[in-house]
Amino acid sequence: MPTSEGHPVALITGITGQDGSYLTEFLLQKGYHVHGIVRRASSFNTGRIDHLYQDPHVSGTRMQLHYGDLTDATRLGELIERIQPDELYNLAAQSHVKVSFDMPLYTADVVAVGALRLLEAVRDAQQRIGRKIKFYQASSSEMFGMVQETPQTETTPFYPRSPYSCAKLYAHWQTINYREAYDLFACCGILFNHESPRRGETFVTRKITRTATRIKLGLVDKLYLGNIDARRDWGYAGDYVEAMWLMLQQERPDDFVIATNETHSVREFLDEVFGHLDLNWQDHVAIDPAYYRPAEVDLLIGDYAKAERLLGWKPKITFRDLARMMTDADMKLAEQELKLRPK
Ligand code: NAP
Ligand code: GDD
């Protein structure tokens, strides 16, 4: 299954996630043939990409899904060998920081060793097929953790504060090591928080937009949150997937911070969302310490100057527009829920 009819071939792990869905849309528009690895689950987990699905019986199909898991090295090796992608995007992860404190070993297996399994499979496949497979690793601003300097750049020292970020740091350095040791075309995108209407519902921005819109329609009363003083650099996922692709189109592999260079507190996000709905969040939000983390990352703000200079990339969607876009999309879901509710 090598490069198909002149179309470049991409393989995406984590295709069913927020970023996987936007990246698939982006690559299909660019003319790619996109393969994605999907975990087997007892119910469908492809909701974010169903609108992109193409019937494999129809000729000319440019999107194909394959069962696989980052814990299964044999399957990863077999898929890479068979698909022979030009570009491989490793987006799969147990990506929830709070959950990583509850499941540290599983998180390390998927996030840290999972990336290493892929790097080994790529190194092996490249030798056999005699050409490069470009590799993108989804690194994270969480690796900066306990802040050493602001804004954070590619040279800021890391200080991870969770099992998730320790695992991401391992994957980050393995990717760099494989580039230096084996001449892999491997890039790390150090992406700061990025959100969208497709964001998982347990991340703070989506939890807020989902619950605030339900409060507005009288479907629930309260929104329970943890540390609302935390500050993040929040961008739009649709903007960020383009940066992933741009990294793999350069002459030389390199690592880049992708961010907005703005920081906002969870409180400010509450202001934007509840304000947009003509509500006062202080009337509806309660603090539940169950959502506190054993160790917290207090402040993230990223400097994307290197990406702007070398990739020509910069963010397009502002903090306010992002909050409104997510609120408006969740208002539609809340309205549907209200209609379907038994009277
Ligand atoms: P997400 O929505 O949580 O998606 C994660 C994806 O990984 C899903 O497709 C999930 O499958 C898949 N996955 C989880 N465990 C797996 C396993 N064992 N084997 C194979 N696939 C597995 O995450 P995202 O927001 O799109 O983020 C994409 C990547 O960027 C992640 O690596 C994340 O850690 C990293 N990142 C995200 C941000 C951000 O702000 N969004 C910032 C920096 C870095 P299911 O759909 O079946 O769960
Ligand atoms: N999830 C969540 N739920 N977070 C809360 C809540 C709550 O009820 N209340 C307050 N917060 C605070 C968290 O303590 C954290 O400081 C902040 O809101 C953001 O939390 P998340 O939205 O869960 O994101 P994150 O910053 O921990 O991690 C996300 O961004 C990373 C990049 O910096 C994830 O997408 C990671 O996968 C990603 O690497």
Side-chain angles (χ1 to χ4, degrees):
M1 210 187 293
T3 305
S4 57
E5 292 156 9
H7 296 286
V9 176
L11 173 60
I12 303 176
T13 74
I15 192 169
T16 57
Q18 171 188 253
D19 291 5
S21 68
Y22 284 107
L23 182 63
T24 303
E25 272 170 13
F26 179 86
L27 293 176
L28 286 174
Q29 276 165 15
K30 288 253 169 230
Y32 278 69
H33 189 131
V34 178
H35 294 263
I37 296 180
V38 179
R39 294 197 283 180
R40 195 269 158 184
S42 66
S43 51
F44 287 117
N45 55 0
T46 53
R48 292 189 180 98
I49 50 170
D50 282 346
H51 63 294
L52 302 171
Y53 180 76
Q54 300 175 6
D55 184 343
H57 304 99
V58 175
S59 75
T61 301
R62 283 199 289 116
M63 183 193 170
Q64 276 170 271
L65 301 178
H66 311 267
Y67 284 116
D69 197 296
L70 279 206
T71 58
D72 183 348
T74 309
R75 178 61 169 162
L76 296 174
E78 184 219 327
L79 284 173
I80 291 170
E81 188 88 26
R82 185 147 55 89
I83 294 166
Q84 299 187 7
D86 300 299
E87 298 170 12
L88 197 169
Y89 296 85
N90 180 28
L91 309 185
Q94 188 304 91
S95 70
H96 202 284
V97 174
K98 175 75 162 58
V99 172
S100 79
F101 286 99
D102 301 327
M103 303 174 69
L105 294 174
Y106 175 73
T107 303
D109 194 10
V110 175
V111 175
V113 187
L116 181 58
R117 289 185 185 103
L118 281 173
L119 287 163
E120 270 294 280
V122 167
R123 183 165 80 98
D124 191 45
Q126 278 192 170
Q127 279 167 357
R128 269 191 252 270
I129 64 180
R131 67 167 169 79
K132 289 211 187 268
I133 296 171
K134 295 180 178 178
F135 183 83
Y136 173 85
Q137 169 59 24
S139 291
S140 166
S141 54
E142 278 290 311
M143 302 185 311
F144 294 121
M146 175 95 79
V147 167
Q148 307 296 297
E149 66 181 12
T150 55
Q152 290 104 32
T153 72
E154 292 79 3
T155 56
T156 299
F158 298 118
Y159 192 143
R161 298 267 287 165
S162 64
Y164 167 80
S165 49
C166 291
K168 278 285 178 192
L169 194 52
Y170 177 90
H172 179 82
W173 281 117
Q174 283 291 14
T175 303
I176 293 170
N177 184 242
Y178 270 59
R179 179 168 78 214
E180 294 174 355
Y182 305 119
D183 196 27
L184 247 63
F185 192 110
C187 302
C188 299
I190 308 172
L191 271 53
F192 283 62
N193 297 50
H194 46 281
E195 320 292 310
S196 74
R198 297 183 201 164
R199 183 60 143 150
E201 294 187 23
T202 59
F203 296 96
V204 77
T205 54
R206 186 77 199 286
K207 183 172 168 183
I208 291 171
T209 57
R210 193 80 176 96
T211 312
T213 49
R214 297 181 78 227
I215 289 172
K216 178 74 182 176
L217 298 191
L219 290 160
V220 283
D221 296 330
K222 281 254 172 281
L223 166 58
Y224 294 96
L225 293 174
N227 173 17
I228 58 175
D229 293 313
R231 302 185 72 85
R232 290 288 181 276
D233 178 330
W234 278 297
Y236 172 52
D239 288 347
Y240 285 32
V241 297
E242 183 179 12
M244 299 176 186
W245 175 78
L246 282 168
M247 285 177 216
L248 298 196
Q249 311 315 309
Q250 306 306 304
E251 287 269 296
R252 287 189 319 106
D254 203 348
D255 311 315
F256 294 89
V257 159
I258 300 298
T260 69
N261 213 341
E262 270 185 39
T263 188
H264 297 276
S265 64
V266 176
R267 282 174 193 274
E268 288 169 64
F269 196 80
L270 286 165
D271 283 338
E272 287 297 340
V273 172
F274 280 77
H276 187 47
L277 296 168
D278 293 321
L279 294 173
N280 186 354
W281 64 262
Q282 284 85 352
D283 298 336
H284 302 282
V285 170
I287 300 301
D288 180 349
Y291 295 112
Y292 290 154
R293 293 161 184 198
E296 178 63 285
V297 172
D298 295 321
L299 165 67
L300 291 176
I301 176 166
D303 178 352
Y304 62 87
K306 179 176 172 186
E308 186 170 25
R309 188 163 40 86
L310 297 179
L311 305 179
W313 181 90
K314 57 181 178 182
K316 297 186 189 95
I317 302 284
T318 64
F319 176 71
R320 167 168 290 191
D321 288 347
L322 177 65
R324 291 185 173 199
M325 175 206 295
M326 293 175 69
T327 308
D328 292 344
D330 277 335
M331 182 50 90
K332 292 205 177 94
L333 289 184
E335 283 164 357
Q336 279 169 16
E337 187 184 344
L338 187 66
K339 265 193 216 141
L340 294 174
R341 204 165 68 153
K343 296 272 179 273

